[in-house]
Amino acid sequence: FSNLKAADTIKVLGPLGNGFPTDSKSTILIGGGIGIPPMLEVAKQLEGEKIIVLGFRDSDTFLAEELESYGNVYIASEDGSIGTKGNVLDAIRENDLNAKRILACGPTPMLRAIKKYAKEKGIECFLSLEEKMACGIGACLACTCKSSDIDSHSKVRNKRVCTEGPVFNALEVEL
Ligand code: FES
């Protein structure tokens, strides 16, 4: 990409995989770090009431203003320089935020903690996973993640992030 010039042509394959549910239901959208940009498009498409919780390392935030057009935005920062000091779940607890569903994208430790939180609270939860991908179309198995159930064809606990995902019901996958 660094060698491309304006107006050069590149081939793009996509969109691949699935997406978050966008039907009307009260929802907390959670984005952490590089998981924040995908949530902007989800916020645009999502019907119904939404609360947006963003996790940053410090006060060097991005997209928070754009996301404010779509719902109340709460921020957590690791160093406490903006919003709640801590992570996105600290911001949810501090502000007593509730909804019927959580949609989240971000680093795996964050997703793991959100899955646990949602399970404890009985909240429906969908997570967008990131894995290294090769073919992108379900053929090479480079992108598999561990699933809760055994695949009927291969008899292993695997799901392909590029094809069955990247968005999974949190109960379907092991993190
Ligand atoms: Fe090849 Fe997912 S990237 S199966």
Side-chain angles (χ1 to χ4, degrees):
F1 283 128
S2 65
N3 291 322
L4 291 172
K5 297 180 296 298
D8 280 356
T9 302
I10 57 169
K11 287 185 182 171
V12 175
L13 177 67
L16 304 173
N18 63 0
F20 283 107
T22 54
D23 56 302
S24 175
K25 196 182 248 193
S26 73
T27 301
I28 303 178
L29 288 180
I30 305 176
I34 58 163
I36 292 171
M39 300 321 269
L40 178 58
E41 185 58 29
V42 181
K44 287 180 191 172
Q45 292 184 15
L46 188 65
E47 297 168 16
E49 187 192 333
K50 53 210 153 213
I51 296 165
I52 300 155
V53 183
L54 307 176
F56 296 98
R57 211 168 265 165
D58 50 36
S59 59
D60 190 14
T61 65
F62 51 91
L63 294 181
E65 270 181 33
E66 287 86 339
L67 280 157
E68 274 167 11
S69 313
Y70 303 98
N72 288 334
V73 173
Y74 297 84
I75 290 177
S77 59
E78 286 173 22
D79 68 357
S81 56
I82 184 167
T84 300
K85 181 172 170 42
N87 59 36
V88 289
L89 288 174
D90 294 320
I92 287 174
R93 290 193 188 96
E94 185 174 279
N95 295 287
D96 200 19
L97 305 178
N98 278 303
K100 291 204 162 60
R101 180 168 61 191
I102 289 174
L103 307 180
C105 184
T108 301
M110 182 192 95
L111 298 183
R112 189 179 297 129
I114 291 170
K115 174 182 171 171
K116 185 167 175 280
Y117 175 83
K119 198 173 171 194
E120 282 166 11
K121 299 279 181 188
I123 303 172
E124 186 183 31
C125 179
F126 290 87
L127 306 172
S128 181
L129 307 192
E130 283 200 18
E131 288 292 341
K132 291 191 179 78
M133 294 193 193
C135 73
I137 54 168
C140 73
L141 306 184
C143 64
T144 55
C145 65
K146 281 203 171 124
S147 62
S148 314
D149 55 338
I150 293 175
D151 173 62
S152 60
H153 173 66
S154 55
K155 311 288 186 218
V156 292
R157 292 177 193 273
N158 270 349
K159 285 197 189 292
R160 295 163 299 176
V161 173
C162 73
T163 307
E164 281 94 32
V167 175
F168 295 96
N169 185 311
L171 300 176
E172 281 181 75
V173 286
E174 308 271 327
L175 295 169

